[in-house]
């Protein structure tokens, strides 16, 4: 299809067709990521320095021009699947940056679990949609325009990865405005 689009003579139609193909490719890629997230058991468990992982995600986001802060520290590594955990946190961070323009990440340990809260300053989510946004392909913003949001799989993937680690992802609207996504994983995760 891409080859055929390159052979079109009308530049305007060619541009529209190529744009549609790019969106289709992104949607297929997101779907494959979602399906991989359901079968993350193939990645080996290993000790993960969550503080270093968050620092790396912060640095990458700042290089892209975003404002991200990280506070708190994990005293010891957590056992988990490194790539899967990174994907989970990246999805949560991407949402915060897409809808809230900045992200403040807090890491804390409590009761044998590690809690990573990512807060943004965006509009939040209607309370009636807080659980619905974890359903595959569900988006609060209903259009299919990828410029106004993703494919609706990021939070589904994040929650699946958290559950595969024996943990959870929860969302809550903040009283001061914005949204908080909290990833909680037990210290003996995996």
């Amino acid at each position: 299809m891409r080859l055929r689009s390159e052979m079109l003579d009308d530049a305007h139609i060619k541009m529209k067709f190529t744009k549609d193909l790019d969106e289709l490719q992104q949607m297929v890629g997101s779907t494959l990521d979602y399906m991989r997230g359901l079968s993350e058991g193939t990645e080996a468990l290993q000790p993960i320095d969550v503080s270093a992982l968050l620092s790396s995600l912060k640095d990458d986001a700042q290089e892209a021009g975003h404002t991200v802060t990280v506070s708190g520290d994990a005293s010891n590594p957590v056992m988990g699947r490194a790539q899967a955990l990174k994907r989970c946190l990246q999805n949560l961070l991407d949402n915060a940056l897409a809808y809230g323009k900045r992200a403040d990440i807090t890491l804390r340990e409590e009761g044998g679990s590690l809690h990573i809260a990512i807060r943004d300053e965006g509009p939040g989510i209607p309370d009636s949609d807080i659980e619905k946004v974890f359903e595959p392909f569900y988006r609060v913003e209903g259009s299919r325009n990828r410029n106004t949001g993703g494919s609706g799989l990021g939070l589904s993937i994040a929650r699946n990865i958290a559950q595969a680690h024996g943990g959870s992802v929860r969302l809550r609207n903040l009283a001061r405005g914005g949204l908080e996504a909290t990833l909680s994983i037990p210290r003996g995760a995996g």
Side-chain angles (χ1 to χ4, degrees), residues 67-70 96 102-106 117-121 176:
T67 302
V68 177
T69 65
V70 177
R102 66 171 288 132
D104 297 308
I105 304 171
T106 305
I118 301 175
R119 294 177 188 94
D120 67 42
E121 295 178 352
R176 62 174 169 75

Side-chain angles (χ1 to χ4, degrees), residues 59-72:
D59 291 345
D60 290 347
Q62 287 180 329
E63 282 182 26
H66 299 288
T67 302
V68 177
T69 65
V70 177
S71 61

Side-chain angles (χ1 to χ4, degrees), residues 54 57 67-70 85-97 102-107 115-121 158 169-172 174 176 178-183:
L54 290 172
L57 292 174
T67 302
V68 177
T69 65
V70 177
L85 195 56
K86 180 178 181 181
R87 182 182 304 147
C88 175
L89 289 166
Q90 186 70 62
N91 287 355
L92 297 175
L93 179 59
D94 287 347
N95 277 353
L97 295 173
R102 66 171 288 132
D104 297 308
I105 304 171
T106 305
L107 176 62
H115 304 279
I116 303 163
I118 301 175
R119 294 177 188 94
D120 67 42
E121 295 178 352
V169 173
R170 301 198 190 291
L171 301 176
R172 72 179 182 103
L174 301 171
R176 62 174 169 75
L179 187 74
E180 177 182 76
T182 302
L183 167 64

Side-chain angles (χ1 to χ4, degrees), residues 35-45 81 84 164-165 190:
M35 297 309 292
R36 279 193 283 275
L38 293 176
S39 61
E40 285 296 336
T42 58
E43 186 182 357
L45 290 174
R81 294 171 179 84
H165 282 83

Side-chain angles (χ1 to χ4, degrees), residues 9-22:
D9 292 329
D10 186 319
H12 180 71
I13 292 173
K14 180 179 176 178
M15 181 185 73
K16 287 178 70 174
F17 198 82
T18 301
K19 183 177 179 271
D20 288 346
L21 283 173
D22 290 342

Side-chain angles (χ1 to χ4, degrees), residues 133-186:
V133 296
F134 289 105
E135 295 173 12
F137 303 108
Y138 184 85
R139 293 181 43 213
V140 173
E141 191 278 307
S143 82
R144 294 184 185 261
N145 181 350
R146 292 194 48 87
N147 294 328
T148 60
S151 61
L153 288 173
L155 289 172
S156 296
I157 292 168
R159 181 170 266 181
N160 287 339
I161 292 169
Q163 290 172 342
H165 282 83
S168 64
V169 173
R170 301 198 190 291
L171 301 176
R172 72 179 182 103
N173 288 303
L174 301 171
R176 62 174 169 75
L179 187 74
E180 177 182 76
T182 302
L183 167 64
S184 300
I185 51 176

